[in-house]
Amino acid sequence: MPIPTLHLIDSTRLAVELGYTLIIVFICLLIYLKTKEIYDLTNHKGIYYFRNTFLFFGLAYLFRFIFMSFLLTKITFDVYHPFGLFMIFSLVLSGYCSTMAILSLTYSTIRKKLPLKNFTLTSNVIAIFISVVALVSRLPFFLMLSQAVLLIFTVSYLLYNKSWKISQLFILYFMLFLFWILDLFALGSMKHLQFEITIVLQILSIAVIGIIYYKVVKWIR
């Protein structure tokens, strides 16, 4: 999950992005909290990693929110910030958390087929490596590509494992993939497309994550 750069982004777009990011953080937090009771009752590892997916997604968007807040104050009020250092810090943390989210999602589907003795350590090493490489190489595309591969693998595995039957879990994970794609397009459109298109994409992203929340709540009842 890359972070917007300073070029060609005005304060209005930043304010909209700020509101959008805050909504996503809120919904991710709701999903994480809503699934706490069922995890406490069942101690199901799949639910544990599923919850962590939204915890890390929420943290990734939270770091993005903090970054956008600093950027907005810098542009609007001309307040001095150590912007370069802060941008690097936010990029690494956002990339790390979003990668951890996708790794948690992936492992929640393959943990029975590929059990790891220390998934936490393994996933942290992978997430840090991907984030650092993306930072050092200055190629956010590497981060996006890595996450895309993981998401495509997860959705494909679910579809294959169910012998081509579309399950509710598959639909849920596919919607997460759709949300991720929409968010990338919305982020990219901030610099290259009309403002209205960005808003439409963000509304669609919120709608998708909202449907995911609805399905999760319905699932745990």
Side-chain angles (χ1 to χ4, degrees):
M1 181 183 301
I3 293 179
T5 57
L6 185 60
H7 305 295
L8 303 178
I9 302 178
D10 58 34
S11 58
T12 303
R13 290 194 174 210
L14 279 175
V16 171
E17 172 70 15
L18 206 61
Y20 163 74
T21 305
L22 191 59
I23 291 172
I24 300 299
V25 171
F26 179 70
I27 295 176
C28 286
L29 180 62
L30 279 180
I31 294 174
Y32 179 74
L33 294 176
K34 282 288 184 180
T35 51
K36 182 180 185 301
E37 184 177 353
I38 189 172
Y39 172 68
D40 289 341
L41 289 172
T42 62
N43 201 30
H44 192 282
K45 287 298 181 182
I47 297 175
Y48 170 79
Y49 292 115
F50 180 79
R51 294 183 73 229
N52 280 355
T53 297
F54 290 95
L55 173 63
F56 282 113
F57 262 136
L59 287 173
Y61 277 90
L62 180 61
F63 287 122
R64 180 165 150 181
F65 174 81
I66 295 171
F67 171 81
M68 300 301 290
S69 299
F70 272 77
L71 188 55
L72 184 61
T73 57
K74 180 179 177 65
I75 291 177
T76 305
F77 304 108
D78 196 25
V79 177
Y80 171 76
H81 297 304
F83 188 74
L85 180 63
F86 187 76
M87 182 175 180
I88 292 173
F89 182 72
S90 300
L91 176 64
V92 171
L93 286 177
S94 181
Y96 162 79
C97 288
S98 57
T99 304
M100 281 294 294
I102 296 173
L103 286 170
S104 297
L105 184 70
T106 301
Y107 192 64
S108 70
T109 64
I110 66 171
R111 60 185 181 82
K112 291 183 178 179
K113 298 286 186 180
L114 187 64
L116 296 176
K117 291 183 178 179
N118 200 333
F119 169 75
T120 302
L121 177 61
T122 304
S123 58
N124 271 277
V125 169
I126 294 173
I128 292 172
F129 173 77
I130 291 174
S131 301
V132 171
V133 170
L135 176 67
V136 173
S137 63
R138 297 184 179 181
L139 291 174
F141 178 74
F142 176 77
L143 178 67
M144 292 184 286
L145 180 62
S146 302
Q147 294 179 352
V149 169
L150 286 169
L151 279 171
I152 292 171
F153 169 79
T154 303
V155 173
S156 301
Y157 176 83
L158 276 173
L159 191 59
Y160 173 78
N161 198 46
K162 293 296 180 180
S163 301
W164 301 101
K165 293 180 181 179
I166 306 298
S167 65
Q168 289 297 318
L169 190 61
F170 170 81
I171 294 173
L172 193 62
Y173 282 29
F174 178 78
M175 292 191 72
L176 272 171
F177 177 69
L178 179 61
F179 164 74
W180 183 83
I181 293 294
L182 284 170
D183 183 67
L184 281 184
F185 274 108
L187 193 59
S189 69
M190 288 183 69
K191 294 187 295 181
H192 304 296
L193 299 178
Q194 293 182 357
F195 185 41
E196 292 78 8
I197 296 178
T198 299
I199 292 178
V200 169
L201 289 170
Q202 289 177 337
I203 290 173
L204 288 174
S205 297
I206 292 172
V208 170
I209 195 74
I211 293 171
I212 292 172
Y213 170 74
Y214 170 77
K215 284 187 171 293
V216 168
V217 171
K218 188 177 179 181
W219 169 52
I220 63 178
R221 282 179 180 174

